[in-house]
Amino acid sequence: MFVDRRLSTTIESNSVLNQKEYTSDWVDIENLDINSVTGGDPALEKKLRILFLEREILKQDGCKVPSYIKQDQWKELLMLSSRNQRKNYLKFLFGIEMKIVNRKRRKEENQTEIVYEKEAPSGDDSLAYGFGGSTIFMRVRNSTIDKHYNYNAIRAMIFGQKLVFDCSYDSFMTSRECKNCAKQLMLVFSENRVHPDPFNLYLTSARRDSPTIQALNKFIPTLYEDAFPLNVSEKSYLDLFSKENLVYLTPHCREELTTYSHDDVYIVGGIVDKSNNEPLSLAKAKKEGLRMAKLPLDRYLDWGSGSGKSLTLNHMLRILLDQKVCGDWKLSLRHIPQRKLIRERPTKSKVIPRNVSITGLFSS
Amino acid sequence: MMAFSVRTVIRRFNCRILEFSFRKITKYSFITNKLSRSSVFSRHFCVPATTRPLPSSDAGFEHEEIDEETIYSDEESFSGRKPTQLNLIYETLVKHPPQSEEEVYNFREKVINSGHVVTKNNVDSIILGICSALKNINFADSYLNMLKSKNIEINVAAAGRYLRVCYACNHVRGENKILEICSYIRNKMPLMDATTAENVLHGLSLTSEWRQGLELLDMIKETCTPTGSTYSSLVIAAFRNDDQELGWEIMEECIKIGKVVQDTVYLSLLDLAIAKNRSGNKQLAFVEKILEFLKLHELRPSTAVAKKLKYTFETMNWKGYFTSISDRGCCNICKAEIPPILISKTEFQELSTAFLEKVLVGPDVFSKSSPEEVKAFQDLMANEAPFNTVIDGLNIAYSTGGNKVSVQKRARTLQAVVAHFVDLSHKILVLGRTHMNSWPRYEMEYVRKNSQLFLTENLSQDDPFLLYAAMSSGPATCFISKDFMRSHAHRLKLAMPSLSSIFKRWQISHQIRLVTVLPNGRVILKYPLDYSPNIQKVQSNWHIPYQSQESDNVVKEGDNKVPILTQSHLDPPSHWLCLSEKKYEENYRKPFGRNDEYNRNVWRRREEPGGMSYNLYGLSSWMKFKNIVLSLQEFPFTKQTSSNSKCYLEI
C-alpha cells in the first residue's frame, strides 16, 4: 500500500553487509568507498549503515541535514558516540553547505551586475587609466605581496626574537579543538609576518602525524617545503634552546610578566581548552622547572563577568608583538576582544593608533 | 549594641547560597534551551521552564538582587522567533483542529505551501510530532486515515512519530493498529537506526508484543545509549504483563548507565499495586520493594510519587503523614529516630586510598602539587595523624567576604576558629598556602602554636590535601570549609564512579561549615547531618524524603528531568513522608518553628569527639541582642534521652 521510493529496496538483515544490496538516492553514499571509511571492520560497517538510515530519518523528521557528506566527514561521524553529537555535527555540515550555496548564488548575481556595468558606457572618465587601461605603474599582484611578507618573516628568522608555540597538547584536546588550534596557528603565522617586526616562530613538539599539525598542513599545504618561513620541529623546546632563557607563559601561575625581556624565549602553550580546565601548561612548566609568567591582565583591564580570560593563540601573538615593539601594556592589550571587558564610554581624545610602527616610536 | 543580629548574618549567608543557586538556574535554563533546540518539536512544544515555579523563598526572606527577567530572558515564546509554518500547525491544532478528511488534507497542503521549512518530505512527521506533544491521538488517527485514503506514502519517521503519539496518550486500545504500523516499519527497515528503534519500542510497549523491545534495545545500543524514556516504557510493559523480574532488571540497568527512571514508572507500578490491593490481594511486599529500590540507589521521589505512595499505603490500611525531621533526626510525627549515615570500614578505606591516587595525585601530580610536597605531607600525616579537626585555613579566612577586608581581619577570623576548637581540646591541622607566612605575626603565631600548620606552595591546590588529611585521620575526623568540593567530587566520579556515592555520604556527615564569626570572637558553625537524608525504614515505619514542588525546580525536558538544586546537597531535605501502620496525632509542637531552618542549625547541639559540648554560644549571643529572656524548660543533655524529650524555648 505504501511505497517509499528511497527505501523501497528491501534490505535483508543478514545480507546487510553486502554492499550491492543497498541502494539509495544519496549521491554521496553511492560514491562512498566504505572500506576506506571503516578500515574493513564489519562492526563499524554495520554502524555506518545504521548512520545512513539515521541521516535519512533525521531528514524526514525535519532536521537540518547536509545533502552531501564527504568521506572524512563520515569517518568523523562514525567516531561520535552519541546521537546528539551526530545530530549537531550534521547540522554544522548543513550550515557549511548552505554557506557555499549562498556564496555561489551571490557570485552569480554579482557577475551579471559586472557584465551590465561593462556594457554600460562609463560617465566618469577620471577613474579609468588612459591608453586603454595601461599604466606606468607595475601592478602589484598577490603573489608579490606574499613574497614581500615572506621576506619579512625570513628576515625575522635571521635577526628576530624567538617565540615558541608548544604543540604537545594534542592528547588533551578533542578533534574539534585540534582543528581550532590549527586555525589559530595559521593566523599566528600570517599575522606575524605582516607585522613590521615579526618573531622568529617555532612550533615545537609538532609531530607530523598529530591532528593539529595535519589540520595545519591542510590550511598551509606548503608548510613542509624548505623555503617556507616557519620553524616546525618535532623536538621539544628544551632541546632547541638553553633552559635559562625559556619562560613559559601560562595563565595559571601567579607571577606577572611586568617587564618584557628581549633576551628571553617565551613559550605559549598550543592548547584550545574549551572543555578542559586543567592547568596543563602550569604542570608542564613546573615539571620541567622553567620560569613561568602570565600576562598582567587584571592589572590593566577591567574584566566583565561571564566570558573567561582565555585568549586565542593569535591574540597572544599580537599582544607579544606589540609588547616587543613598544613595551606599553595598555597599548598591546587592546587586542583583547572588547566584549570580555567592562565597556567604558568612548572618549574621542584617546584614539589609540591601530598600527604601531618602529619609526613612530623612535621619533617621540 | 550590635549593628545586626545573628539572624541577619545567617540570612546573608543563605542569601549567598540562594544567589548561587539562581545563577545555576540561569545556566540550566540556557542549557535546556540549547538541548531543546536539537529537535524541531521539543524546541517549541515541550513547554520548558516558563511554567516552572521559582524556588520558594524561605519564611520572611526577600531576595531583591535577583531579577526574574534575566533568569528567563533566553526563553523562546511561541509568537517570537518560531517559524510561521510550525506556528500555523500548532495554533490550528490547539484552537480548531480540522475534522473531515478533506479539511485535514487541505490543512496539510496549506502548511506545505506557506513556507520552505516544512516540506512535502517532512510535513507528516512534523505534524504528528506536534500531536504527540499535545497528546492528541484523535487528530493523529484521522491524519493517518487521510494519508491512506489519499494514497500518500507514509515515511518511516512519520510512522515512528505516530507510535510516539500512541505512547504519549497511553493508547492501549489501538493495539492492532500499532502492530500494523510496527510491522510496516520493520518491513521497510530490517536494520533500524536508534530513533526509529526507540519509536517502535515505545509503540510495542503498549501491546502484547512488548518482548520484542528487548531486541530493539540491543539495536539501539549499537549506535548510542538508550534514553530514560525508552527504558521506562519497557519497564512499565514488563510490569503490566507480570514479568516482574525482567522489570527490576531493566530498572537496575537504567540506573547503572546513569539514566533517570521516569516518574511514570513509579506511578504506574503503584497503580498496579492499588488495583491489586482493591481486589483484596495486599501488595505490601511489592510496594516495599519499590521503596527498597529507591533506597538502594539513593533516589528522592517527586511530590507526585510521594502523594501516590501515601495513597497506596492508605489502601492497605496504613497511615501516611507529610512531616519534617527535627535536627536531631527525629520524625515529628512518629518520633522515630532516623539512623545516622553509615559508611562501612572497607568503604571508607577504599575512599581514602582512591582519593589520594585519583584526586590528589591524579594523572599528573604537577597540575595540583608536586611529588616533594605530596611526600612531605604524607610524612606529616604519618608522624602527627590522627587529627580531630582539619581546617581549610584560606577558606575560613576568606569567608569574611569582600576584596577590601584587611589581611589582619582575615587572620583574626582564622584565629577565632582555631581558638574555638582549641577550647574543645582538639588536635587541629590547618592547611594554607605559603603566602600566609606574610600574614600578621600575632595571629599566625597563635595558629602555629595551637595547631599543626601545613602550607602548600602558592601554585598548589590546598583542598585535595584538606580532604585527604580528614580521610586519613579516620572516620571520626571532621573538616571545616565552606567549599562544596564539587570539582574534587567530580574528579573522583570520573576516575571511580562507584565511589561517588560514598564520597557524598562522607562529605554530608563530615563537613562543618562556618556561618560567621561574631565580633566578640564567638564562632557560629553549621554542623553536618546527624541522620541519613535517604529513605529509611525505622521501627517498621518508612521515612521518605521527597522533592517538594515549590523548592526543587525540576525542569521537564523531553525524556529527562533535570533537577535544579536550590539547596546544597549538604543541607537536609525539608520534606518527608512518614508511612506507618499506627495512627499518630498530627498536632505536634514544632520545636523552634518548622521553617526556621537556619536558626535551628545555629542552635543545634552536637556531641563532640572530645566529650560532650554544646554549641550554645550562638544562641545566647542572639538572645542578648534581641533582649530575650530565656527560660529553658527542659534541655536534653544526652543523645539517649533526646528521642523522648524535646527542647522547648519559651520566648
Side-chain angles (χ1 to χ4, degrees):
Chain A
M1 182 169 46
F2 309 109
V3 187
D4 188 332
R5 200 162 48 85
R6 286 231 161 119
L7 293 161
S8 55
T9 345
T10 48
I11 315 158
E12 296 300 320
S13 45
N14 357 354
S15 65
V16 153
L17 300 183
N18 193 341
Q19 200 178 330
K20 283 173 193 165
E21 293 261 336
Y22 187 88
T23 59
S24 132
D25 272 6
W26 298 97
V27 186
D28 55 340
I29 294 178
E30 279 167 11
N31 295 337
L32 189 66
D33 179 9
I34 288 179
N35 265 334
S36 71
V37 174
T38 60
D41 183 358
L44 272 183
E45 191 171 336
K46 192 176 178 193
K47 192 180 171 187
L48 184 66
R49 294 203 179 275
I50 296 176
L51 295 191
F52 292 163
L53 295 171
E54 191 171 271
R55 175 174 53 154
E56 172 67 34
I57 296 296
L58 284 176
K59 172 110 200 231
Q60 289 175 8
D61 239 356
C63 292
K64 286 172 180 169
V65 168
S67 65
Y68 195 92
I69 300 178
K70 289 179 200 157
Q71 190 162 312
D72 51 341
Q73 288 165 348
W74 276 117
K75 249 184 207 170
E76 183 100 36
L77 269 174
L78 211 53
M79 300 282 283
L80 299 174
S81 58
S82 90
R83 209 180 335 177
N84 263 337
Q85 280 174 330
R86 290 194 290 265
K87 220 181 205 172
N88 286 334
Y89 186 61
L90 287 175
K91 201 171 155 191
F92 168 70
L93 293 181
F94 175 81
I96 293 178
E97 196 177 285
M98 286 298 117
K99 232 184 209 168
I100 294 170
V101 167
N102 283 332
R103 202 186 295 151
K104 265 186 191 166
R105 202 202 53 211
R106 224 173 294 135
K107 209 174 176 183
E108 273 165 25
E109 280 172 10
N110 285 346
Q111 260 169 1
T112 51
E113 267 172 37
I114 289 165
V115 171
Y116 177 73
E117 265 176 26
K118 270 188 180 173
E119 282 169 358
S122 58
D124 187 14
D125 287 4
S126 60
L127 282 175
Y129 289 111
F131 307 115
S134 306
T135 163
I136 58 166
F137 299 114
M138 203 146 72
R139 178 165 182 168
V140 182
R141 291 179 190 280
N142 277 346
S143 61
T144 316
I145 298 174
D146 195 52
K147 268 179 200 158
H148 168 71
Y149 286 149
N150 276 357
Y151 160 73
N152 206 11
I154 288 167
R155 199 189 44 175
M157 284 174 85
I158 304 169
F159 302 112
Q161 190 184 359
K162 295 176 180 91
L163 178 70
V164 176
F165 282 86
D166 177 16
C167 302
S168 62
Y169 296 99
D170 274 25
S171 56
F172 300 101
M173 292 191 279
T174 62
S175 64
R176 182 116 289 268
E177 285 171 341
C178 283
K179 272 180 195 162
N180 289 344
C181 183
K183 189 154 206 176
Q184 289 177 16
L185 285 174
M186 182 195 70
L187 289 173
V188 162
F189 169 74
S190 67
E191 282 168 14
N192 182 53
R193 64 177 195 168
V194 172
H195 197 266
D197 185 18
F199 278 110
N200 179 8
L201 287 184
Y202 278 80
L203 303 187
T204 59
S205 312
R207 290 201 352 265
R208 201 168 175 170
D209 57 340
S210 70
T212 307
I213 296 300
Q214 277 191 340
L216 182 64
N217 206 355
K218 232 178 178 178
F219 288 127
I220 312 174
T222 52
L223 181 67
Y224 277 99
E225 276 176 17
D226 289 340
F228 192 75
L230 179 69
N231 302 303
V232 186
S233 169
E234 299 213 346
K235 286 184 190 165
S236 161
Y237 43 79
L238 291 173
D239 304 330
L240 294 169
F241 309 103
S242 66
K243 206 171 169 182
E244 305 87 66
N245 289 342
L246 290 171
V247 178
Y248 215 118
L249 296 177
T250 162
H252 304 286
C253 73
R254 282 168 211 276
E255 209 110 312
E256 282 188 343
L257 182 71
T258 40
T259 45
Y260 181 90
S261 161
H262 293 265
D263 297 324
D264 285 341
V265 178
Y266 290 106
I267 310 170
V268 180
I271 333 167
V272 174
D273 48 353
K274 281 180 177 169
S275 55
N276 193 332
N277 271 328
E278 298 281 313
L280 296 168
S281 53
L282 173 88
K284 194 172 180 195
K286 217 199 276 178
K287 196 191 284 172
E288 286 162 354
L290 299 178
R291 278 186 288 151
M292 287 178 259
K294 64 175 177 181
L295 299 185
L297 297 177
D298 290 315
R299 192 182 292 262
Y300 292 100
L301 300 172
D302 294 326
W303 290 81
S305 60
S307 66
K309 288 178 190 170
S310 55
L311 300 176
T312 59
L313 299 179
N314 50 321
H315 285 152
M316 242 354 239
L317 175 96
R318 282 196 217 168
I319 291 167
L320 290 172
L321 276 172
D322 281 357
Q323 188 59 28
K324 179 170 66 152
V325 171
C326 65
D328 181 0
W329 278 112
K330 265 197 178 159
L331 185 75
S332 43
L333 289 178
R334 77 183 190 279
H335 294 296
I336 289 166
Q338 291 301 302
R339 64 169 190 278
K340 288 178 181 269
L341 309 175
I342 297 170
R343 249 164 247 191
E344 286 173 43
R345 244 183 243 149
T347 45
K348 279 190 178 173
S349 56
K350 277 185 187 175
V351 180
I352 302 168
R354 284 198 69 79
N355 284 317
V356 191
S357 69
I358 304 173
T359 47
L361 273 167
F362 288 124
S363 64
S364 62
Chain B
M1 206 55 194
M2 272 281 305
F4 48 78
S5 66
V6 180
R7 189 193 284 263
T8 332
V9 173
I10 297 155
R11 210 178 267 176
R12 285 187 184 171
F13 171 68
N14 282 296
C15 180
R16 216 171 298 147
I17 296 179
L18 218 96
E19 208 184 333
F20 171 77
S21 60
F22 265 91
R23 239 178 269 151
K24 210 159 171 190
I25 295 175
T26 332
K27 204 172 145 197
Y28 261 111
S29 70
F30 172 65
I31 293 168
T32 48
N33 272 325
K34 226 177 164 184
L35 270 178
S36 62
R37 275 187 205 115
S38 59
S39 159
V40 178
F41 313 109
S42 55
R43 167 166 41 155
H44 306 292
F45 302 110
C46 85
V47 188
T50 29
T51 53
R52 111 195 142 213
L54 277 166
S56 71
S57 51
D58 236 292
F61 162 50
E62 306 92 27
H63 38 79
E64 306 98 346
E65 310 99 354
I66 301 146
D67 185 6
E68 284 181 34
E69 286 224 319
T70 55
I71 296 172
Y72 299 123
S73 62
D74 51 35
E75 232 134 66
E76 294 171 34
S77 62
F78 274 131
S79 51
R81 281 177 272 165
K82 199 155 66 80
T84 47
Q85 276 172 308
L86 295 174
N87 218 344
L88 175 73
I89 301 172
Y90 180 80
E91 272 168 17
T92 317
L93 289 190
V94 169
K95 284 175 190 161
H96 33 75
Q99 301 294 329
S100 72
E101 201 177 290
E102 210 49 41
E103 273 175 23
V104 175
Y105 180 72
N106 291 337
F107 167 60
R108 183 177 185 268
E109 291 296 306
K110 193 180 162 195
V111 169
I112 294 171
N113 293 330
S114 59
H116 61 274
V117 175
V118 181
T119 61
K120 224 169 161 182
N121 197 20
N122 59 25
V123 63
D124 304 332
S125 148
I126 288 175
I127 289 178
L128 287 169
I130 292 169
C131 281
S132 87
L134 296 172
K135 299 192 176 182
N136 190 347
I137 184 76
N138 294 333
F139 182 77
D141 268 333
S142 60
Y143 190 80
L144 216 63
N145 290 336
M146 181 276 291
L147 290 181
K148 269 187 193 175
S149 62
K150 291 279 176 192
N151 227 357
I152 298 167
E153 57 185 53
I154 300 178
N155 59 28
V156 176
R161 286 283 171 194
Y162 175 75
L163 295 176
R164 287 305 274 262
V165 184
C166 293
Y167 180 75
C169 304
N170 202 10
H171 189 57
V172 191
R173 278 171 295 128
E175 181 164 343
N176 290 335
K177 198 160 186 187
I178 291 172
L179 286 176
E180 189 193 323
I181 298 235
C182 287
S183 62
Y184 167 70
I185 295 177
R186 289 210 132 184
N187 283 338
K188 273 193 158 185
M189 289 172 77
L191 187 71
M192 281 185 229
D193 70 290
T195 315
T196 315
E198 263 174 16
N199 292 343
V200 174
L201 192 149
H202 276 91
L204 286 176
S205 76
L206 300 170
T207 69
S208 55
E209 299 284 322
W210 62 276
R211 249 173 225 284
Q212 288 180 19
L214 294 171
E215 190 194 316
L216 289 168
L217 200 63
D218 290 334
M219 211 183 263
I220 296 166
K221 280 180 200 160
E222 278 186 27
T223 49
C224 57
T225 42
T227 58
S229 164
T230 311
Y231 277 111
S232 300
S233 68
L234 207 54
V235 171
I236 294 172
F239 279 103
R240 192 187 282 145
N241 294 291
D242 264 337
D243 193 344
Q244 294 199 4
E245 225 166 86
L246 182 68
W248 290 118
E249 210 176 282
I250 301 168
M251 266 165 97
E252 293 282 348
E253 191 188 322
C254 178
I255 297 283
K256 206 175 155 194
I257 62 162
K259 296 285 173 185
V260 181
V261 178
Q262 290 185 326
D263 269 1
T264 47
V265 173
Y266 303 118
L267 292 176
S268 63
L269 291 196
L270 292 174
D271 271 334
L272 287 174
I274 292 167
K276 283 183 180 164
N277 284 338
R278 286 261 165 71
S279 59
N281 186 3
K282 287 269 165 69
Q283 293 290 309
L284 185 62
F286 176 66
V287 182
E288 287 199 327
K289 199 167 177 190
I290 299 174
L291 292 176
E292 290 287 351
F293 176 84
L294 290 168
K295 183 185 171 182
L296 181 67
H297 298 289
E298 296 177 3
L299 299 172
R300 219 172 266 182
S302 67
T303 312
V305 175
K307 278 181 182 161
K308 196 85 167 187
L309 268 169
K310 181 170 182 262
Y311 180 70
T312 315
F313 273 86
E314 275 163 5
T315 59
M316 293 185 292
N317 297 329
W318 279 50
K319 292 276 171 292
Y321 307 94
F322 292 119
T323 174
S324 60
I325 302 291
S326 79
D327 250 8
R328 268 166 265 137
C330 183
C331 172
N332 283 328
I333 293 281
C334 69
K335 310 288 181 281
E337 209 168 305
I338 310 285
I341 295 170
L342 288 177
I343 301 167
S344 73
K345 224 175 184 178
T346 48
E347 276 179 335
F348 184 78
Q349 207 59 43
E350 214 182 321
L351 179 69
S352 53
T353 49
F355 193 85
L356 174 69
E357 283 166 20
K358 305 291 178 194
V359 181
L360 185 54
V361 176
D364 190 0
V365 201
F366 290 97
S367 63
K368 285 183 209 68
S369 175
S370 64
E372 298 87 47
E373 202 172 73
V374 175
K375 181 79 182 41
F377 187 68
Q378 277 178 319
D379 287 347
L380 173 88
M381 289 309 288
N383 295 332
E384 302 287 334
F387 296 96
N388 296 111
T389 312
V390 186
I391 298 177
D392 190 347
L394 284 170
N395 184 286
I396 296 299
Y398 278 80
S399 63
T400 19
N403 292 328
K404 285 174 187 164
V405 178
S406 67
V407 185
Q408 176 112 30
K409 198 172 174 196
R410 295 199 192 288
R412 266 189 205 149
T413 313
L414 179 60
Q415 185 200 4
V417 174
V418 172
H420 175 83
F421 286 96
V422 167
D423 286 349
L424 303 171
S425 59
H426 276 195
K427 193 175 174 189
I428 307 161
L429 172 67
V430 178
L431 284 153
R433 294 206 181 97
T434 32
H435 65 79
M436 284 166 84
N437 278 329
S438 60
W439 282 14
R441 197 179 294 158
Y442 175 76
E443 282 82 5
M444 290 312 287
E445 209 49 38
Y446 178 87
V447 172
R448 234 179 269 274
K449 268 184 188 158
N450 292 290
S451 72
Q452 182 72 45
L453 184 65
F454 184 82
L455 301 178
T456 64
E457 287 296 313
N458 284 346
L459 288 177
S460 300
Q461 290 188 9
D462 52 353
D463 290 345
F465 284 103
L466 168 89
L467 295 174
Y468 175 64
M471 281 177 194
S472 60
S473 286
T477 306
C478 288
F479 67 97
I480 299 155
S481 175
K482 261 171 147 180
D483 197 317
F484 291 126
M485 306 288 168
R486 282 198 187 90
S487 62
H488 308 297
H490 179 67
R491 210 159 277 142
L492 189 70
K493 194 178 176 182
L494 283 185
M496 298 185 85
S498 59
L499 290 179
S500 146
S501 132
I502 304 172
F503 180 78
K504 197 176 150 195
R505 268 184 280 156
W506 177 77
Q507 194 191 358
I508 291 175
S509 55
H510 287 81
Q511 179 164 10
I512 301 174
R513 284 175 287 170
L514 176 71
V515 177
T516 190
V517 176
L518 297 175
N520 61 1
R522 294 291 183 218
V523 176
I524 300 176
L525 299 164
K526 213 170 184 182
Y527 280 98
L529 277 186
D530 271 346
Y531 58 93
S532 170
N534 291 320
I535 295 180
Q536 299 291 337
K537 190 174 187 182
V538 192
Q539 302 157 7
S540 80
N541 288 4
W542 281 99
H543 288 91
I544 300 151
Y546 64 93
Q547 301 179 323
S548 70
Q549 258 158 349
E550 323 87 61
S551 67
D552 8 306
N553 296 269
V554 177
V555 186
K556 198 157 188 300
E557 180 53 60
D559 287 330
N560 299 321
K561 285 191 166 180
V562 185
I564 289 171
L565 301 170
T566 49
Q567 295 177 306
S568 85
H569 64 283
L570 299 176
D571 292 324
S574 45
H575 295 78
W576 290 73
L577 173 65
C578 171
L579 296 168
S580 151
E581 268 185 302
K582 282 180 252 166
K583 201 168 186 262
Y584 293 102
E585 207 178 315
E586 273 195 69
N587 296 332
Y588 62 91
R589 259 178 102 178
K590 298 167 197 165
F592 311 141
R594 191 163 60 167
N595 287 327
D596 230 350
E597 198 180 301
Y598 311 128
N599 294 332
R600 276 193 294 157
N601 277 311
V602 178
W603 295 339
R604 52 179 297 128
R605 170 203 69 85
R606 192 185 157 81
E607 289 160 332
E608 300 294 343
M612 297 295 198
S613 60
Y614 303 95
N615 186 20
L616 283 169
Y617 306 130
L619 172 64
S620 55
S621 44
W622 185 76
M623 293 290 166
K624 240 185 258 165
F625 300 142
K626 287 280 172 181
N627 293 326
I628 292 166
V629 184
L630 171 74
S631 78
L632 220 50
Q633 284 197 332
E634 182 188 0
F635 205 89
F637 276 85
T638 55
K639 187 87 176 166
Q640 281 72 39
T641 54
S642 67
S643 59
N644 308 325
S645 53
K646 280 199 273 59
C647 132
Y648 293 119
L649 277 176
E650 297 293 321
I651 294 172

